[in-house]
């Protein structure tokens, strides 16, 4: 069965990015490469990705992908980008711009994933939309030794222990990887 997994790095106090959408705090963590080593294994289990427009635009700008489309990191997989705006699409990449209710797009997302899983890249509210729709199965966070005063929230929803269950804890360099299963709403 296709599972929907939110996998992300986060600050200790639950931010995905700072107020300026910068990840400089993340790249500054010593040993971030070591923590990335298991990422290849995760990606093998992923059939397609879903992200919000801020996240997509950050990747496009950060990697200068309009001029260098060959640097798009998810070439082999469809990537759904949720936006109400007509965003520029990276040449040669399977990027599918969609808007509105995520449940309405679920049949297409599930089909694109094939027999593998769906990676929710972020941001937090988009993941919340999947949780609201009963379509979130796992939250996998790599907690960085960083706190920020404010920023983009990890998951701005109220999910209590009746829905979240800690499945594993692993140290990866300076990161703590916590994996939670999510019980879908009845
Ligand atoms: N720490 C990490 O590893 C990590 C992981 C992921 C993201 N990030 C960063 O965290 C930040 C997240 O930004 P964010 O909180 O703004 O979230 P986001 O999900 O990337 O973008 C939110 C935007 O997506 C569009 N959108 C979302 N749901 C939609 C829907 N159902 N229909 C149509 N449009 C929809 C809306 O903008 P429009 O309609 O105006 O397009 C919305 O304002 C980014 O800076 C990103 O780079 C960090």
């Amino acid at each position: 069965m296709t599972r929907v997994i939110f996998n992300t790095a986060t600050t200790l106090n639950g931010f995905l990015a700072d107020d300026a959408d910068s990840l400089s705090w993340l790249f500054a963590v010593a040993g971030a490469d070591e923590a990335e080593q298991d990422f290849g294994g995760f990606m093998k289990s992923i059939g397609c990705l879903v992200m919000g427009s801020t996240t997509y635009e950050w990747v496009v700008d950060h990697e200068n992908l309009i001029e260098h489309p060959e640097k798009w990191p998810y070439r082999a997989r469809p990537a759904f980008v949720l936006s109400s705006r007509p965003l520029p699409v990276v040449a040669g990449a399977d990027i599918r711009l969609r808007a509105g209710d995520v449940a309405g797009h679920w049949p297409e997302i599930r089909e694109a994933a094939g027999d593998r899983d769906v990676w929710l890249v972020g941001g937090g509210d988009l993941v919340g939309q999947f949780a609201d729709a009963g379509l979130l199965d796992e939250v996998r966070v790599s907690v960085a030794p960083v706190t920020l005063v404010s920023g983009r929230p990890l998951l701005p929803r109220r999910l209590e222990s009746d829905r979240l269950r800690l499945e594993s804890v692993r140290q990866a360099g300076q990161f703590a990887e916590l994996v939670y299963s999510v019980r879908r709403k009845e």
Side-chain angles (χ1 to χ4, degrees), residues 8-9 16-17 21 52-55 58 82-85 99-100 121 123 129:
T8 189
L16 293 176
D21 287 309
S53 63
T54 313
T55 301
W58 185 89
L82 273 294
S83 181
S84 59
R85 295 170 291 129
V121 184
Q129 294 173 45

